[in-house]
Amino acid sequence: MTTITFGKAINEGLRRALAEDDKVVLMGEDIGTLGGVFRITDGLKAEFGEHRVVDTPLSEAGIVGTAVGLAYRGFRPVVEIQFDGFVYPSFDQIVAQVAKLHYRSRGTVRMPIVVRIPFGGGIGAAEHHSESPEAYFTHTAGLRVVACSNPADAYVMIQQAIASDDPVIFLEPKRRYHVKGEVDLDANLADARPMGVATTVATGDDVTLVTYGALVQVAKDAATAAAEEGVSIEVIDLRSLAPVDYATIEASVRRTGRLVVAHEAGEQGGVGAEIAASITERCFEYLEVAPVRVTGHDIPYPPAKLEQYHLPDLDRILDGVDRAMGRPNSLSDISEVDA
Amino acid sequence: MTTITFGKAINEGLRRALAEDDKVVLMGEDIGTLGGVFRITDGLKAEFGEHRVVDTPLSEAGIVGTAVGLAYRGFRPVVEIQFDGFVYPSFDQIVAQVAKLHYRSRGTVRMPIVVRIPFGGGIGAAEHHSESPEAYFTHTAGLRVVACSNPADAYVMIQQAIASDDPVIFLEPKRRYHVKGEVDLDANLADARPMGVATTVATGDDVTLVTYGALVQVAKDAATAAAEEGVSIEVIDLRSLAPVDYATIEASVRRTGRLVVAHEAGEQGGVGAEIAASITERCFEYLEVAPVRVTGHDIPYPPAKLEQYHLPDLDRILDGVDRAMGRPNSLSDISEVDA
Amino acid sequence: MTPSDREATGLLTRPDDLVRLLDATGGRHANPEFDPWIADVDLDALVDLHRDMVVVRRLDAEATALQRQGELGLWPPLAGQEAAQIGSARALHDDDFVFSSYREHAVAWLRGVRPDELLSVWRGSAASGWDPFEKRMAIPQIIIGAQSLHAVGWAMGARWEETTAASISYFGDGATSEGDVNEALVFASSFDAPVVFFCQNNGWAISEPVGLQSKQPLARRADGFGMPGIRVDGNDVLAVLAVTRWALDRARRGEGPAFIEAVTYRMGPHTTADDPKRYRTDDDLAAWRERDPITRLHALIAASGADMDAVDADAKAAADRAAAELRAGLTAIPDPEPMSVFDHVYAEPNSHLERQRERYARYLAMFDEEGER
Amino acid sequence: MTPSDREATGLLTRPDDLVRLLDATGGRHANPEFDPWIADVDLDALVDLHRDMVVVRRLDAEATALQRQGELGLWPPLAGQEAAQIGSARALHDDDFVFSSYREHAVAWLRGVRPDELLSVWRGSAASGWDPFEKRMAIPQIIIGAQSLHAVGWAMGARWEETTAASISYFGDGATSEGDVNEALVFASSFDAPVVFFCQNNGWAISEPVGLQSKQPLARRADGFGMPGIRVDGNDVLAVLAVTRWALDRARRGEGPAFIEAVTYRMGPHTTADDPKRYRTDDDLAAWRERDPITRLHALIAASGADMDAVDADAKAAADRAAAELRAGLTAIPDPEPMSVFDHVYAEPNSHLERQRERYARYLAMFDEEGER
Ligand SMILES: Cc1ncc(C[n+]2csc(CCOP(=O)(O)OP(=O)(O)O)c2C)c(N)n1
Ligand SMILES: Cc1ncc(C[n+]2csc(CCOP(=O)(O)OP(=O)(O)O)c2C)c(N)n1
Ligand SMILES: [Mg+2]
Ligand SMILES: [Mg+2]
């Protein structure tokens, strides 16, 4: 076990993947000489050469589109999208090509492509630098979508994503890059928890709180705070957003009868909608109350000085928990009728 | 009242908008000389000239991006995306520019752009010609998303969309283009139902069936069929997918206690997820059962000979109704536990 | 001997320059720059090229007929583009890789694609027809221009792996307006990718004339992206063969990508769903019929004193065989199993899709029991 | 008199050709083609241009300092690009419209953008700073290349409305690799849009040298898209002014778009968050310091026998005033109201957002009552 930052953990995971399989290539803007604007690929070009860690021209469709061609040749491209807000120019290549080629080719062409995306807000950045685009991808058949929340998971999950024969959208909560944690760099991947399985990071009996990425830490803090008020929260780190590990969530909700889902992305059509709808379908009779969603507003990401009024934080999550628990909360005094 | 096809109704709506406001311009591939591959813009270039009905180079980002510039100049561009599957190259311009510019410019720059998209399947087309991309847009703050289901609505709604100062994704169920219906070409728009309001197209007491686009007709047929079996279905044509007219749906579900949502798009993260989650939040105590979703599978759109096994049809919708009613259905013999 | 990039690029400053070795009447024109590239093409080779073109024209006509008969859902005819497709495809090596659009049936035919593999997708029976790795040709691309980036990525890999294989990307005149094609040119140049951009300028993008996409020869695009661009008479199979060999050769030798604009004409509709009468005149068509790619090669062969009855008989026989194979192939296409709709979405197990599949199987099972509801 | 497109385009076949009227030492070089375009630039005008550059360099330095002091979240310095931005912006008419990226602070300054309007977005206080219609300049664009299409659309409209206004699109060397910029060239040419593509080739796209985007002068891209392209010394304010005037003039006269590559250098970091030491050497920097845009104009003015003490004093005074205004402007930027996070998402009422807004207001109200939880 060594203690390293979240960013370093991904860097080590990439290093190991590059070392173990020479078909693995990294591509992206500024990832080589500079080591990426977040330094996630720091040192890798020097170590593996410019044909393994490739600085590309400034074109996201070009990066993903050439990655498709490389996959056609048997490579396992790991592309970096510099910031979440810059993934859209490559949307067509991701949705119409990467996601669909295995199906369209009747299983003959595999797309073991990983699209790394630093996502989410909380760093006071300029516009287009704090987006949470995950729902666009979870709604896209053919893709797998994962989000890691801590260094240990990041180190293992990036390698699992690269090893996957299906394309993976790999979401990295950028505001956690500098957080440190214990990582076992010699961990045997075979023993690791599959990336499709969620993790219960705090056990509780009163309410099930599901989230992913940067909000996992906030959710854990909320559980601690709620405990003091006598509310026992079970926190589930989703890890895989598509497919979702419903077995883990269902087992928890059957016990608690209450579900809160939190994410930074907007509410309308967000991942929370799918989980709320699916859990309602799967264990309606166990639910004491309607699943509660605590999300970013349905607005373009606001300027830095307003992001604190957009992002779900400890208090907003606790307010959501209070709604689920029927305790006094921001909506106590309105019946759903006039809401 | 005159009886015209769905496609002709849109054509007449566009003609009227072009005649009434010379800031309205139509742009797209093959929309001028050819009148569009579906002939929706037939005759309009000849009538209004090549600067009002513009054949553009083959580039969707170019079409939407130049439309943004035209909007900056006070134009009201109506762009046609030839088929649903070709909207993705313009995704960045739609999501990062069209949807966000009013917010980013603090209300100074309006984006009265209409993006017309023939959507959905059922016409035995080649790949990329039968997509249902609506959820990508309903999850995008700043956009309005509407889908029309009949000639009369199509004629009015296209004009309302063009009159809207907010950008509108206008979804046209292509398999209905040739269906005829009564349209009042002299209708006074001021008296017309706002495009944000849903329509109850069949009244019923047992279950509320919500859908949009091409499935509205299928839902009406389902209601007729179910009536024979003594099941009374209330069918709501959503019309606006963002925002959703929850008042209408809630009022119905409060009476029926049962909700079924149907759409061609995949289930995971589809519009049905949002409606199921929102209705559960808004009237949990009125629900007898969990909202049921009847949707396309979470797969890339299949080849023509398989689309009948992908698209929700009368039988699949009735099966969903049976699930909601607790009548024998495809899942009767499995408890949700092992499902 | 190969022309240097400068010379090749030079051509483009004289837009009307068109590489043509064989004129519309079958006259053979000497071209010091490109003749060497077809020095090996003797009479037998000419006859083979002629046969190829006669065969694919026949296949195309048969497929169009099959669509009219309702056997196919749609068909994008290649009529008129036989020389552009045969000439370029004949220049390929077995280990090269093709990334095409939806109209390159002749290329697929030369890559060994079987009739049933060619038709299944247009019949609506399968998402695609052949194994790309067996034929060394990707499945056809309908998203305009997208395949050009795939061809470049494949070629980047070929270079990194130090092979001598090259890729070729087929796309149309309309495709040159898409961002993807332009980004492909940027990446290809930046990484010296061994890729040939083969643009069939058939004059139209559905109803839009090429002039709407570009006011000047498309080959001129190449220079600005740091690669040679050549305009070739796309109805001259010899010129196309020579120019494509030249481009592939320099790519293999590490000299990077090249752009070829094959000027040809789409004699038929965009697809069987299209009605060209709405946007172009018969005069257009008549003018191009004069430049038929097959007639002119036929004339050259005749001029060489070959026994034309034999040549024609042989070509017709081959075409008849191919047509018969095509019809036989059609019947060999199985209707897909309902549950196969779920196959190949993922390469690995996927809990969500498996649940959906299992539930849909239960749904279908109801009917086996009940029959019609 | 205006050079014909052919001549302009001709320049590009000699890549090393760079339009330069003022060399690094302040030497004035005659240029029959472009001198006429600055015939009106007398000594006073030279002094004005010098003052402009001194002022914006100072503003840029002040803003950089403010970021270091934590007053701004981020700042993308323009240092080194003063001539490219001042020269081009001075060529604009009031009714022209600017579509820029995030680095054109000097252009904004000349369009009348106030300091508080310039800084608010970088302070994180507002989504954008100014009214685009008041300044005839769109809000800055961070999505690389996206604004180029907006500039073309605006220009298409200007032509359809038969005005003589033109638009100018500013973007960088890296942006030329994005599909949007290439599609913008296609549309501009196809519709003869009165737009000038002004590419500031400052040598770098963050850490990537321009050579990774293109192996040859970016101006050569233009010809392939059917418009003239010109390379100009981006550190020569006179050449930039002349060339931009020429391009705008022909655009106004209906001759269509033109592409200008202004060769300059980003003397500072990409943004205040960047560390150039990781990817470039000091020699680079030193070499470009020799080509400073201000020094050379200063030398020319001095050579003309002007009273340089007065010139410098005047420039310094103007810079001091601007710097003071900037600091004052900073304090004039209000912190946004929490609930304003919901403002301007839509231009019309939106039931969903209103419900969300109303509920969030209730949430915030809890704290006013309870204070901290
Ligand atoms: C991204 C995208 N936009 C639009 C279409 C619809 N479409 C199909 S073919 C075609 C014209 C293509 O013209 P060209 O590139 O010249 O190829 P050709 O058909 O002439 O061989 C269009 C617009 C598409 N398939 N993909
Ligand atoms: C679509 C998109 N991709 C990536 C980025 C991240 N990014 C910001 S600036 C930049 C480099 C731009 O270089 P250039 O176009 O030369 O402009 P310069 O910064 O040199 O003025 C990059 C890659 C972005 N803003 N937008
Ligand atoms: Mg064409
Ligand atoms: Mg630059």
Side-chain angles (χ1 to χ4, degrees), chain B residues 23 59 73 102-104 166, chain D residues 128 141 161 183 341 344 347:
Chain B
K23 287 299 188 185
S59 151
R73 235 196 121 72
H102 189 258
Y103 189 83
R104 289 168 50 206
D166 288 315
Chain D
S128 61
Q141 182 60 252
E161 293 180 335
E183 295 182 2
V341 76
H344 308 305

Side-chain angles (χ1 to χ4, degrees), chain B residues 23 51 54 59 61-62 65-66 69-70 72-73 75 92-93 97 102-106 108 142-143 165-166 243 282, chain D residues 127-128 132-133 138 141 143 146 149-150 153-154 158 160-161 163 180 183 187 191 341 343-344 346-348 351 355:
Chain B
K23 287 299 188 185
H51 290 171
V54 186
S59 151
T66 51
L70 283 159
Y72 246 106
R73 235 196 121 72
F75 283 85
D92 179 61
Q93 284 288 344
Q97 308 299 333
H102 189 258
Y103 189 83
R104 289 168 50 206
S105 68
R106 296 161 66 225
T108 56
L143 299 178
D165 279 339
D166 288 315
R282 290 163 179 256
Chain D
S128 61
F133 303 109
Q141 182 60 252
I143 300 296
L149 281 166
H150 306 165
W154 190 95
W160 295 341
E161 293 180 335
T163 73
D180 280 8
E183 295 182 2
F187 275 67
F191 294 103
V341 76
D343 296 346
H344 308 305
Y346 296 94
E348 299 186 353
S351 57
R355 180 173 189 265

Side-chain angles (χ1 to χ4, degrees), chain A residues 23 59 73 102-104 166, chain C residues 128 161 183 341 344 347-348:
Chain A
K23 286 298 188 186
S59 150
R73 238 197 117 74
H102 189 258
Y103 189 82
R104 290 169 49 205
D166 289 314
Chain C
S128 61
E161 292 179 334
E183 296 182 1
V341 77
H344 309 305
E348 299 186 352

Side-chain angles (χ1 to χ4, degrees), chain A residues 23 25 27 50-51 54-57 59-63 65-73 75 92-93 96-97 99 101-110 140-144 163-166 242-244 246 274 281-282, chain C residues 97 99 126-133 136 138-143 145-147 149-161 163 165 180 183 186-187 190-191 340-352 355:
Chain A
K23 286 298 188 186
V25 291
M27 305 170 69
E50 62 174 5
H51 290 172
V54 187
D55 273 322
T56 67
S59 150
E60 291 71 21
I63 295 167
T66 50
V68 168
L70 283 159
Y72 247 106
R73 238 197 117 74
F75 284 85
D92 179 62
Q93 285 287 343
Q97 309 299 332
L101 264 166
H102 189 258
Y103 189 82
R104 290 169 49 205
S105 69
R106 295 160 69 226
T108 56
V109 183
R110 298 198 158 180
T140 305
L143 298 178
R144 293 196 56 150
S164 167
D165 279 339
D166 289 314
V244 168
Y246 281 111
E274 178 60 38
E281 280 162 23
R282 290 164 179 255
Chain C
F97 210 97
F99 291 86
S128 61
W130 61 81
D131 177 338
F133 303 109
R136 307 290 290 175
I139 59 174
Q141 181 62 251
I142 280 181
I143 300 295
Q147 75 279 13
L149 281 166
H150 306 165
V152 172
W154 190 95
M156 285 162 62
R159 180 159 170 274
W160 294 341
E161 292 179 334
T163 73
D180 279 9
E183 296 182 1
V186 169
F187 275 66
S190 192
F191 294 104
S340 71
V341 77
F342 291 99
D343 296 345
H344 309 305
V345 178
Y346 295 95
E348 299 186 352
N350 186 284
S351 57
H352 173 72
R355 181 172 187 266

Side-chain angles (χ1 to χ4, degrees), chain D residues 45-53 86 90 237-238 241 297:
Chain D
L46 291 177
V47 170
D48 290 344
L49 288 168
H50 175 264
R51 186 190 310 104
D52 285 340
M53 292 197 284
I86 295 293
R90 278 291 177 212
V237 71
L238 294 181
L241 176 63
L297 180 58

Side-chain angles (χ1 to χ4, degrees), chain A residues 29-30 37 58-60 81-83 85-89 127-129, chain B residues 92, chain D residues 76-77 81 85 101-104 141-146 171-178 199-208 210 213 266 270-271:
Chain A
E29 297 155 5
D30 306 291
V37 295
L58 209 179
S59 150
E60 291 71 21
I81 298 297
Q82 199 163 78
F83 279 87
F86 312 143
V87 71
Y88 308 124
E127 57 178 2
H128 309 296
H129 289 70
Chain B
D92 179 61
Chain D
Q81 304 177 216
Q85 295 189 17
S101 85
Y102 40 81
R103 203 184 295 283
E104 285 68 58
Q141 182 60 252
I142 281 180
I143 300 296
I144 300 301
F171 52 87
D173 44 295
T176 59
S177 293
E178 288 281 7
C199 175
Q200 288 176 83
N201 172 0
N202 62 5
W204 298 91
I206 305 186
S207 72
E208 301 186 340
V210 61
Q213 318 288 343
R266 194 192 76 215
H270 169 65
T271 68

